[in-house]
Amino acid sequence: MKRAPLQPLVVLPHTLSEITGPMFGHDKIGENDHDLTCQHAGEAIGERIIVSGRVLDSNGRPVPNALVEIWQANAAGRYRHIRDQHPAPLDPNFSGAGRTLTDEHGAYRFVTIKPGAYPWLNHHNAWRPAHIHFSIFGNAFITRLVTQMYFPGDPLFAYDPIYQSIPEERARQRLISKFDLETTRPQWAKGFKFDVVLRGPEATPFEN
Ligand SMILES: [Fe+2]
């Protein structure tokens, strides 16, 4: 079953308030919001990773001050959510949500735990490849884009109808982060690069 709306889309007229606000400011971002491994009293369990990249427009120009939010399952593949009750442990030290703003070079950086693959009930023996959900806001709610970042070499790609719902192979590849030795920190965490291109022929595929 591929994902698609069951009803025709409703076109909402844009008013001035949707186009111009609300705005996001630095004061809304907490000190540990970008580091999902230390948002609680103890350290999160799992493989620590650094996910970084840039938000770019169609001409490759950096997009500064974009609000980048992520959410994900924990190392065991379980979400801290009422609807996720499959038999995998929750981590009391991992909520699975983070947020940050891009800097003047359009760059963002998260420290987190590599999420586990998780089963979902879409079809028999359905497992999602490990992924991190991304939301990128421009200056207003109306400019929100949502996508998913994957990890290189996941054997579940071939079986995942969400990943496979993107028809073009090259576009699918853009959702796969790249292992990056430069952002990898010795004795501490592997680095993965994931650039988000908002528009144009090289645009990152979005869900909305
Ligand atoms: Fe997910």
Side-chain angles (χ1 to χ4, degrees):
M1 185 191 322
K2 287 190 174 169
R3 295 198 315 173
L6 296 175
Q7 302 287 329
L9 298 180
V10 176
V11 178
L12 298 173
H14 294 174
T15 65
L16 196 60
S17 66
E18 281 149 341
I19 296 164
T20 58
M23 302 286 283
F24 300 102
H26 290 81
D27 57 317
K28 297 284 196 292
I29 308 288
E31 201 185 321
N32 285 338
D33 282 3
H34 75 287
D35 188 340
L36 289 72
T37 66
C38 59
Q39 295 174 344
H40 298 273
E43 243 192 300
I45 291 171
E47 181 185 343
R48 193 188 296 114
I49 57 171
I50 298 162
V51 177
S52 65
R54 292 195 302 159
V55 178
L56 303 164
D57 71 10
S58 50
N59 297 314
R61 283 182 303 223
V63 180
N65 265 324
L67 178 71
V68 182
E69 293 176 293
I70 60 170
W71 62 100
Q72 61 168 95
N74 68 17
R78 178 137 176 219
Y79 282 102
R80 183 179 290 280
H81 192 278
I82 186 82
R83 285 184 59 187
D84 187 354
Q85 300 294 334
H86 88 277
L90 281 172
D91 179 353
N93 292 310
F94 189 75
S95 301
R99 61 209 311 256
T100 192
L101 288 170
T102 56
D103 66 12
E104 68 269 33
H105 307 295
Y108 72 87
R109 180 177 180 275
F110 289 103
V111 179
T112 185
I113 294 294
K114 189 167 183 208
Y118 60 80
W120 59 313
L121 298 170
N122 185 65
H123 53 275
H124 175 66
N125 217 359
W127 292 78
R128 293 297 331 279
H131 60 275
I132 297 178
H133 296 269
F134 269 71
S135 157
I136 293 121
F137 274 111
N139 289 332
F141 279 127
I142 202 75
T143 59
R144 187 183 189 199
L145 295 169
V146 177
T147 191
Q148 299 182 26
M149 182 203 100
Y150 298 91
F151 293 87
D154 198 311
L156 293 168
F157 287 148
Y159 308 99
D160 182 42
I162 294 180
Y163 180 75
Q164 294 295 338
S165 68
I166 300 159
E168 226 190 299
E169 170 62 21
R170 280 188 59 227
R172 288 200 292 267
Q173 291 292 328
R174 282 180 225 134
L175 293 181
I176 305 174
S177 59
K178 293 188 173 59
F179 170 69
D180 182 43
L181 198 59
E182 231 160 80
T183 51
T184 294
R185 276 184 52 189
Q187 316 285 342
W188 197 70
K190 281 195 288 196
F192 290 88
K193 276 273 179 200
F194 182 58
D195 288 340
V196 176
V197 180
L198 300 178
R199 279 177 292 275
E202 296 301 311
T204 305
F206 290 102
E207 296 175 6
N208 57 334

